[in-house]
Amino acid sequence: VFIDSMREIGWVEGRHFFIEGLYAEGLIDRLPALATELVQRRVDLIITVGTPPTTAARDATTTIPIVFAYVSDAAAMGFAKSLAHPGGNLTGQGGQAAAMHAKGLELLKAALPHASRVAMTFAPGLAPHAIFRAEVEPAAFKLGLTLVPVEMRGAEDVDAAFAAMARAKVDAVLFLRHPILFVQTARLARLAIEQRLPAMAPFVEMTGAG
């Protein structure tokens, strides 16, 4: 989308600008080093997707402009002083993820009216997840649902997470936004299908995976 939009205003990749793409492959611990590497390459602009990479970029530079997308709450995470007067070297869009998770839970209940227990994946220590849970937990209470928090920090936790869901006999699972959803998409979909576990996910790629 970024490349197509740039082309619409007359900027062609490879002619007017070049992209230095670095990927953490879902491993959040890699992000600070990758952000530092981009600063060392003296790029003119850093684009980030999600709260963890935006945090790493913010901590790596106060001078290179940073454009972010899909952050949980720009002001609460310290990316902007306020939405009206952000200041600093960061700008972008975000802030709806928590409400979207709550809406997702509502849609899940509508699709499964007899559901009573829903697993919710989360990563302890990941700041956005605290914000998400603050929205989702009251929504679950209003819907008469029991949330079953299941830890899923990285790829090594996926099998254990689904085993925990099976033991808890949940009716469905709500995936909170996390980089692992992009790199473990097929695996997560396969396990959900094997356990006949309806899932609500924040990214269309997971729907495409099954």
Side-chain angles (χ1 to χ4, degrees), residues 118-184:
V118 176
M120 177 183 64
T121 62
F122 78 103
L126 191 61
H129 281 194
I131 297 172
F132 298 161
R133 292 183 67 172
E135 286 269 354
V136 171
E137 289 171 354
F141 179 79
K142 291 180 181 178
L143 293 167
L145 294 171
T146 298
L147 278 183
V148 180
V150 176
E151 292 190 18
M152 197 167 69
R153 303 169 187 261
E156 68 279 4
D157 300 323
V158 170
D159 289 336
F162 274 86
M165 294 180 210
R167 289 193 300 271
K169 297 181 179 180
V170 297
D171 301 304
V173 56
L174 174 72
F175 290 106
L176 297 188
R177 287 176 182 263
H178 190 289
I180 192 178
L181 302 185
F182 282 114
V183 294
Q184 295 290 320

Side-chain angles (χ1 to χ4, degrees), residues 92-130:
Q93 63 86 24
Q96 299 180 3
M100 289 176 66
H101 281 306
K103 182 64 177 179
L105 192 64
E106 181 183 329
L107 293 172
L108 191 59
K109 178 63 174 178
L112 301 168
H114 300 298
S116 61
R117 293 170 60 80
V118 176
M120 177 183 64
T121 62
F122 78 103
L126 191 61
H129 281 194

